[in-house]
Amino acid sequence: MEKVKNILDKDIQVIKGLIGGLEAEFFQIQERTKEREEKIRLLYDSLESVSLKAQVLQEINEMLGLDLDPDDLLSLIMDSVLKIMRTDAGSLLLLDREKNRLVFKITKGPKAEGVKSLDIPLDEGIAGWVVRENEPLIVPNPMDDRRFMREIAEEIGYLPYNILCVPLKIKREVIGAIEVINTIGKEEFTKDDQELLMAIGNQIAILIENSRLFHDLIRKVSEKTVLTEVAKTVNSSLSLDEVLGISMKLTSQIMRAEASSILLLDEEKKELVFRIALGKKGEDIKEVRIPLGEGIAGWVAKTEEPLVVSDVKKDDRFFKKADEISGFITRDIICVPLKIRDRIIGVAEAVNRIGGTFTEDDIELFEAIAFQIAISLENASLYKDLEDLFFQVITSLVATIDTKDPYTHGHSQRVMEYSLAIGREMKLSFDEMRNLKLSALLHDIGKIGVDEAILRKPAKLTEDEFSEVKKHPGTGAYIIEHIKRLKDISINVKHHHERFEGGGYPSGIKGKEIPISARIIAVSDAFDAITSDRPYRKGQDPEIAIAEIERCKETQFDPECVSCFIKAYREGKIKKKEEIKLAFLNYSPNEKIDTNPLT
């Protein structure tokens, strides 16, 4: 029995050993299982993170294809950045190279509004270091980092416990930085997070660059459009003031300026004179004269170099007198020279950029506009010289005709003055006024074909004699229609003796069939005829003449022309007969004639 017991004890010990070995192996298996489960969990978490990152990156790529405003698109992308990086806040900062500062472009987070209006010097802050060094940076404890701008955090009431900031680059050029702040759960940022944010930053930088290129393209198209419009203006009109006025309006629009002006050089007095000034104080500032070399305009005219001044208060060259006289407040200014064949003739200015300040980038466009303006000035000057010569010839011709009838000496000049006064009241265009001026001067040119004995007869004309006189409108039209520059006004000369109700001569047409210039001249001609002396009667008082013209409106005269004449007369806009300069009485070939019908 004892022997059997010993055998059983041995077997029990073996079994216990086997069980112990199995237990140990089981525990080992259990531990290995736990390790595998942990690895599986970590792998799952990693896959979930990768899936989230892939999802957000896909979202960003899809956003890049959206037709949205660039700022709106960047705002959406920053929302995704915060989600993928699991952070509480973030900012996109862009570099302003001119000011050497970082500007907050997009801000997200609980205190985002507090930093939107701020900018950071390039030699300060975490973002400043990242942009300056062109290196990414993980800051686990910003409050202990000397680079961190603690005062801003305290001011807005937002204290970060970790920051990741990476540079935004385009072809190795740093254009800004993107930073994310305070991980949710307070986990530390990793190198993987840094690489991911760098990848996102590259996409954002491309978006920003494409937006810049697009806006540059739009700006260049706008610039070309304006230059085309200016060129069209130059080619469509040779009226100096009209060309300059339209050119400067276009300039104000494209330069986004509150006011603009053109100053021409008075070479004799060595002063700049405001020729065109747009803006609320445009008329007041025309009285200002700037000595050559003084003020910003004077400096530009003297050096013949363009100039941009972003703050006139800090520039000693600024001519304060102009603002003092006009009451205008100048903040910033861009000024370029006006030159014709390397000869300085003046300057062009744009004042107070709307929504910002002028920069050196604006000079090229403004110089191109100034070039077109200079061309218009030269063309207008050459045209005015020709126009002066043309009017001198016309005036000489009219003077010769008027000598045939000493009793109507100066008649054509007076009719022209009266007619222009009516035209101004009727708001005729520049070209219409020019044609009216010529037509009025030449309305009696046909009398060159009438016998002087009839014109000088000191008594009333017989029916036959009057029939001869009635031929002068047709004769005058025949004479001038063969002159190219006068052909268009021959119809006005021909019909200035028609009656508004019909029955006049030479054609008997009526109402609006009669050209407007002819209707105007008819009123002016009648007024001068009634108020002028004749061999057989004394000239009547102007009030009697006005009453007679008023009586004959709608029958002999156009009612609108009569009303405008009387209005101009009552308001003192028509010179008295003795005040009208008779340019042809003492005519000299060297005399300057005012060819502008609007003056």
Side-chain angles (χ1 to χ4, degrees):
M1 285 294 292
E2 187 65 31
K3 188 177 181 179
V4 172
K5 183 180 178 182
N6 289 334
I7 292 171
L8 288 173
D9 287 340
K10 287 180 181 178
D11 290 341
I12 289 170
Q13 291 299 323
V14 171
I15 291 170
K16 284 182 177 181
L18 289 171
I19 291 172
L22 287 172
E23 284 179 347
E25 188 175 348
F26 175 76
F27 283 123
Q28 288 177 0
I29 291 171
Q30 192 176 36
E31 288 299 317
R32 286 198 297 269
T33 300
K34 286 181 180 179
E35 288 178 5
R36 286 173 182 171
E37 286 176 350
E38 181 64 21
K39 286 181 179 179
I40 289 171
R41 188 185 66 78
L42 291 173
L43 180 61
Y44 178 80
D45 289 344
S46 176
L47 287 172
E48 186 179 29
S49 175
V50 170
S51 175
L52 176 62
K53 291 176 180 178
Q55 178 184 344
V56 173
L57 287 173
Q58 179 63 29
E59 287 179 9
I60 292 173
N61 284 329
E62 289 175 356
M63 288 177 193
L64 293 174
L66 295 176
D67 184 17
L68 293 175
D69 177 83
D71 287 354
D72 293 338
L73 191 54
L74 287 173
S75 181
L76 287 174
I77 290 174
M78 281 302 297
D79 288 335
S80 294
V81 169
L82 265 58
K83 183 166 66 172
I84 193 173
M85 302 304 298
R86 300 177 184 272
T87 55
D88 186 47
S91 298
L92 176 66
L93 301 96
L94 296 182
L95 177 59
D96 183 336
R97 293 194 179 279
E98 195 170 309
K99 297 180 179 179
N100 215 32
R101 301 179 77 88
L102 286 170
V103 180
F104 284 91
K105 180 71 172 177
I106 303 293
T107 57
K108 296 287 182 178
K111 300 293 183 178
E113 290 299 321
V115 296
K116 277 184 177 179
S117 60
L118 303 177
D119 56 18
I120 299 173
L122 200 56
D123 57 353
E124 296 182 22
I126 301 296
W129 185 94
V130 167
V131 171
R132 191 173 66 254
E133 299 297 325
N134 190 11
E135 292 289 341
L137 186 64
I138 295 175
V139 185
N141 297 297
M143 302 298 286
D144 298 331
D145 194 303
R146 60 182 177 79
R147 294 167 294 193
F148 179 62
M149 300 181 72
R150 187 187 184 108
E151 61 275 13
I152 293 180
E154 291 175 346
E155 182 181 338
I156 65 174
Y158 185 77
L159 303 179
Y161 48 81
N162 58 13
I163 294 176
L164 169 59
C165 186
V166 301
L168 293 175
K169 295 188 285 187
I170 290 290
K171 297 177 182 177
R172 298 183 181 179
E173 179 186 357
V174 181
I175 64 170
I178 182 170
E179 64 178 10
V180 287
I181 305 170
N182 290 354
T183 53
I184 297 171
K186 298 191 176 182
E187 297 96 342
E188 292 186 359
F189 287 112
T190 66
K191 289 291 182 181
D192 288 341
D193 294 326
Q194 179 179 297
E195 289 178 8
L196 178 59
L197 193 57
M198 290 282 286
I200 294 172
N202 290 338
Q203 293 292 326
I204 292 174
I206 291 170
L207 169 64
I208 293 171
E209 177 67 4
N210 288 343
S211 176
R212 183 189 68 79
L213 293 173
F214 176 74
H215 283 291
D216 282 349
L217 177 62
I218 294 297
R219 179 175 58 83
K220 288 179 180 178
V221 170
S222 297
E223 290 173 3
K224 287 186 178 293
T225 301
V226 154
L227 292 176
T228 300
E229 288 300 316
V230 172
K232 282 181 180 178
T233 302
V234 170
N235 293 328
S236 65
S237 175
L238 285 169
S239 162
L240 181 59
D241 288 341
E242 186 177 353
V243 168
L244 293 180
I246 295 174
S247 296
M248 292 315 292
K249 284 179 182 177
L250 291 170
T251 297
S252 292
Q253 290 172 10
I254 195 65
M255 301 302 293
R256 301 197 303 281
E258 285 185 11
S260 56
S261 56
I262 288 177
L263 297 90
L264 297 184
L265 179 61
D266 183 334
E267 294 185 2
E268 186 177 335
K269 295 183 179 180
K270 300 298 180 185
E271 292 179 328
L272 288 170
V273 183
F274 282 90
R275 179 59 189 265
I276 294 290
L278 300 182
K280 293 181 180 178
K281 301 292 183 177
E283 288 304 314
D284 294 336
I285 207 169
K286 282 185 179 181
E287 303 301 320
V288 178
R289 298 177 75 91
I290 301 175
L292 187 64
E294 292 188 22
I296 291 169
W299 184 91
V300 169
K302 186 174 182 179
T303 63
E304 301 184 16
E305 293 291 333
L307 183 63
V308 174
V309 179
S310 57
D311 187 352
V312 298
K313 293 179 182 177
K314 298 179 180 178
D315 197 300
D316 294 336
R317 292 168 294 191
F318 178 57
F319 191 72
K320 297 179 181 178
K321 186 178 178 182
D323 276 9
E324 291 170 358
I325 292 175
S326 67
F328 189 85
I329 299 175
T330 301
R331 298 189 308 272
D332 62 308
I333 191 170
I334 181 170
C335 186
V336 297
L338 293 173
K339 299 169 81 173
I340 294 176
R341 288 189 293 275
D342 296 326
R343 180 174 63 89
I344 189 78
I345 62 169
V347 299
E349 291 181 333
V351 180
N352 294 355
R353 181 67 168 266
I354 297 171
T357 58
F358 295 110
T359 68
E360 298 291 327
D361 293 337
D362 297 312
I363 289 178
E364 184 179 355
L365 171 62
F366 203 17
E367 283 185 320
I369 294 174
F371 175 73
Q372 293 291 343
I373 293 172
I375 290 174
S376 74
L377 284 167
E378 182 177 35
N379 289 345
S381 178
L382 292 172
Y383 179 77
K384 189 176 186 304
D385 288 343
L386 289 173
E387 195 81 341
D388 285 347
L389 177 60
F390 179 65
F391 268 89
Q392 285 169 1
V393 172
I394 295 298
T395 304
S396 179
L397 177 61
V398 170
T400 301
I401 296 167
D402 275 8
T403 58
K404 293 188 67 176
D405 186 356
Y407 296 104
T408 60
H409 229 50
H411 169 71
S412 298
Q413 180 77 9
R414 293 191 296 273
V415 169
M416 182 195 75
E417 294 282 355
Y418 303 151
S419 296
L420 292 179
I422 297 172
R424 292 186 195 102
E425 289 297 321
M426 296 181 76
K427 310 295 184 188
L428 298 186
S429 68
F430 181 89
D431 288 338
E432 287 174 326
M433 289 288 284
R434 180 186 178 279
N435 286 343
L436 176 60
K437 184 173 187 176
L438 282 170
S439 301
L441 268 176
L442 293 168
H443 76 284
D444 274 346
I445 191 174
K447 286 184 178 179
I448 200 170
V450 179
D451 192 331
E452 286 187 27
I454 296 177
L455 294 176
R456 292 170 179 265
K457 184 178 179 180
K460 285 190 176 182
L461 302 180
T462 66
E463 188 174 332
D464 290 339
E465 289 170 336
F466 186 55
S467 294
E468 286 298 310
V469 172
K470 287 168 64 176
K471 294 178 182 178
H472 82 271
T475 302
Y478 177 79
I479 291 171
I480 64 175
E481 71 182 4
H482 290 87
I483 302 172
K484 187 176 181 179
R485 292 194 64 188
L486 298 176
K487 185 175 181 179
D488 290 343
I489 70 164
S490 63
I491 192 171
N492 302 327
V493 172
K494 182 176 182 178
H495 295 299
H496 74 276
H497 276 296
E498 303 288 356
R499 291 173 61 88
F500 193 70
E501 66 177 356
Y505 60 90
S507 303
I509 57 177
K510 63 181 178 179
K512 298 299 175 69
E513 295 175 352
I514 307 168
I516 182 62
S517 290
R519 282 178 267 151
I520 291 172
I521 293 170
V523 174
S524 303
D525 194 23
F527 180 79
D528 191 65
I530 296 170
T531 57
S532 296
D533 292 337
R534 288 291 187 267
Y536 50 89
R537 66 161 173 81
K538 186 78 174 171
Q540 299 293 311
D541 184 85
E543 292 299 330
I544 294 175
I546 287 175
E548 179 64 15
I549 290 171
E550 174 77 22
R551 185 182 68 82
C552 295
K553 70 179 182 182
E554 296 185 357
T555 54
Q556 186 173 348
F557 307 117
D558 181 342
E560 184 182 6
C561 295
V562 171
S563 297
C564 288
F565 174 77
I566 294 174
K567 182 175 182 292
Y569 185 86
R570 297 294 183 211
E571 293 178 358
K573 296 177 182 178
I574 291 180
K575 297 177 185 178
K576 292 181 180 179
K577 185 175 179 180
E578 59 272 15
E579 293 175 341
I580 295 176
K581 179 184 177 183
L582 306 180
F584 41 83
L585 288 181
N586 298 302
Y587 173 70
S588 167
N590 296 321
E591 182 180 358
K592 285 291 182 181
I593 302 296
D594 181 10
T595 60
N596 187 348
L598 299 178
T599 58

